[in-house]
Amino acid sequence: MRKYLLILFAVFFSLFLCSCSSGFDDKLYPSHDDIPDNFVLGELVKEEETKLTCIAHDDNEYYESWVDLVYEYNGVFNYFNGFYPLKTNNRLTINAPVGADIEISLLDNDGNVVYTNVPNAQGICYLFPNWFSYMYKIRVKYYNDFNNEPIITEYEMHDTITLSFGVRKVEKDTIDLMFVVDTTTSMDDELEFLKNEISDVVEEVNSFNDCIVNVAVLLYKDKGEIYETLYSEFTEDINAQLEFLENKIAYGGGDFEEAVEVAIEEAASKSWSGSNSTKIIVHIGDAPAHDENINDWYNAVIDLCNKGIRLITVASSGINKKTEYLFRSMTLISNGTYVAITNHSGIGNDHIDSSVDVNVTVEYLDRCLVRLITGYHTGILYDPIPIN
């Protein structure tokens, strides 16, 4: 019965794409009105192949709760927030025109650029000054929608700034998707997930968004291992990535920490597409960088921001609260989403409960990734599909 339902759904969905193609042509991003009421993102995923379960949490959406965790005296992450150099308890919100070809930079008192980011598909950009927001300014670089001349404007800082002006817009027809994966011994379940599910995830992202999907894979371990990083460059050919992953196994690692900072720094340095693309890293790991390298890791994430790359961090079994804090902080800075694998699948070692005080839905990891990647590209974030 399920087979016939899937066939009927595929036929209906194909007819829907054909009938709505003209509607999508004159819009930069689709809206919920363009989607049929009975459409469920992730429905085409083969349920018998879906195993790992997770929850997804956007700390920017529930930012006050995050501040309580890192800033309040009894906050779960208060100690780590005081010990490590990255700070996320000050945030600036910039609302820009949807689809604007725009760069937003945080400036210090001397006018130096601290770092740059670009608005997401909903036109929102979050910046995180290390100190009080009033000590900073923002610089906005955009292009006039009449003659494409670059315009640079500076603004005095407030907690929230809304930008409203005529600006050149860009239609994003490409998704650059890089998987950055810890391949030490404890990561065997996650590595097998990648081998088994990456093609289905990419296929569904491609079919729903009707765009080019370039996929790259960067594997990492730690210093002194048989390799520190291994990279397979961006390609539309998902079979090439499957061949790259085919003989890879999870082993090594030694101590708890790994070379995360090396992997993220290398990931940022690769050849990403231009402003017509949505750029995403899916980082799958269960350990942070060594303490002496935390600042390098932070700087590498800032490099991601400078290139407009969003970070989806997938926390695997074996993480502790320190790792959760660091993963969530890095994801928050990149305007991304924190994903934590849960025990509901019954696979692998124990997974700690995330320190989240809002209701979250347990969903399958592959469906979650399709949902988030599509949301980053279109600006429409679908509700998670609960596990059966």
Side-chain angles (χ1 to χ4, degrees):
M1 183 64 179
R2 179 178 176 81
K3 176 179 178 182
Y4 295 114
L5 289 173
L6 289 176
I7 292 173
L8 287 172
F9 176 82
V11 171
F12 173 78
F13 188 53
S14 298
L15 291 173
F16 163 72
L17 287 178
C18 292
S19 65
C20 291
S21 60
S22 61
F24 277 77
D25 287 343
D26 61 353
K27 294 182 179 180
L28 196 62
Y29 297 104
S31 70
H32 281 287
D33 294 336
D34 297 309
I35 310 301
D37 292 338
N38 60 345
F39 179 75
V40 180
L41 188 66
E43 184 66 24
L44 296 181
V45 175
K46 301 179 182 64
E47 199 162 304
E48 64 273 16
E49 295 180 5
T50 305
K51 297 178 180 178
L52 291 180
T53 56
C54 69
I55 60 102
H57 183 69
D58 182 351
D59 283 305
N60 271 310
E61 184 176 356
Y62 302 99
Y63 184 66
E64 290 184 3
S65 296
W66 173 256
V67 172
D68 288 343
L69 290 172
V70 301
Y71 191 69
E72 293 298 323
Y73 177 76
N74 59 348
V76 174
F77 301 132
N78 177 268
Y79 169 78
F80 305 117
N81 188 60
F83 185 78
Y84 291 105
L86 62 158
K87 304 296 180 187
T88 55
N89 48 286
N90 293 306
R91 185 183 73 171
L92 309 174
T93 303
I94 296 89
N95 298 306
V98 172
D101 186 3
I102 187 172
E103 294 180 352
I104 302 172
S105 300
L106 184 66
L107 306 180
D108 64 19
N109 271 339
D110 297 323
N112 300 313
V113 175
V114 179
Y115 73 101
T116 298
N117 212 328
V118 298
N120 61 23
Q122 296 174 325
I124 303 171
C125 179
Y126 300 109
L127 298 173
F128 295 88
N130 280 341
W131 303 103
F132 299 111
S133 59
Y134 66 79
M135 299 174 64
Y136 295 81
K137 293 182 179 180
I138 65 166
R139 175 183 296 164
V140 177
K141 179 181 179 181
Y142 63 100
Y143 296 86
N144 189 291
D145 58 349
F146 296 110
N147 54 19
N148 286 332
E149 288 293 324
I151 299 173
I152 297 176
T153 306
E154 291 188 5
Y155 293 82
E156 295 295 332
M157 208 56 256
H158 304 283
D159 288 341
T160 301
I161 290 180
T162 298
L163 308 176
S164 180
F165 40 68
V167 58
R168 184 180 75 186
K169 296 187 177 182
V170 59
E171 183 169 1
K172 296 189 176 183
D173 57 9
T174 301
I175 297 176
D176 281 356
L177 178 61
M178 182 186 293
F179 291 89
V180 177
V181 187
D182 178 350
T183 59
T184 53
T185 300
S186 58
M187 294 294 296
D188 53 344
D189 297 323
E190 291 77 15
L191 184 57
E192 287 307 306
F193 164 85
L194 196 63
K195 293 178 181 179
N196 294 329
E197 308 291 351
I198 186 175
S199 60
D200 286 343
V201 169
V202 172
E203 180 181 355
E204 188 163 356
V205 168
N206 189 301
S207 64
F208 181 74
N209 294 282
D210 190 25
C211 64
I212 297 170
V213 182
N214 297 315
V215 180
V217 178
L218 193 156
L219 309 179
Y220 71 93
K221 294 184 184 293
D222 202 357
K223 293 179 173 64
E225 298 291 334
I226 190 169
Y227 64 81
E228 195 169 14
T229 64
L230 283 178
Y231 179 65
S232 181
E233 63 187 11
F234 282 109
T235 177
E236 295 180 59
D237 183 5
I238 191 61
N239 290 324
Q241 302 299 9
L242 291 174
E243 290 176 10
F244 172 72
L245 290 166
E246 185 177 6
N247 63 348
K248 304 301 186 296
I249 60 174
Y251 66 93
D255 58 9
F256 178 58
E257 293 82 4
E258 313 299 353
V260 186
E261 79 288 351
V262 175
I264 298 299
E265 182 179 6
E266 182 176 336
S269 71
K270 298 304 181 182
S271 298
W272 295 81
S273 299
S275 60
N276 67 324
S277 66
T278 301
K279 306 174 187 65
I280 303 168
I281 285 178
V282 178
H283 171 220
I284 307 176
D286 66 354
H290 294 267
D291 273 1
E292 62 269 24
N293 298 321
I294 296 294
N295 202 51
D296 294 335
W297 183 13
Y298 168 76
N299 290 334
V301 172
I302 292 300
D303 285 344
L304 299 185
C305 295
N306 290 334
K307 294 190 175 183
I309 303 168
R310 310 284 178 215
L311 187 61
I312 300 173
T313 299
V314 181
S316 307
S317 60
I319 73 164
N320 54 21
K321 284 299 167 184
K322 167 186 167 181
T323 310
E324 182 185 344
Y325 163 76
L326 291 169
F327 277 7
R328 287 172 71 173
S329 297
M330 302 297 181
T331 305
L332 190 72
I333 290 168
S334 79
N335 295 195
T337 306
Y338 176 76
V339 176
I341 298 177
T342 70
N343 286 332
H344 297 79
S345 67
I347 298 173
N349 297 323
D350 191 44
H351 304 81
I352 66 171
D353 292 331
S354 300
S355 296
V356 175
D357 62 359
V358 296
N359 291 329
V360 289
T361 301
V362 178
E363 56 186 318
Y364 292 113
L365 179 58
D366 48 3
R367 289 179 174 178
C368 175
L369 292 178
V370 172
R371 183 174 67 86
L372 294 177
I373 294 164
T374 296
Y376 285 176
H377 187 64
T378 65
I380 302 173
L381 187 60
Y382 291 88
D383 294 331
I385 305 171
I387 63 173
N388 295 331

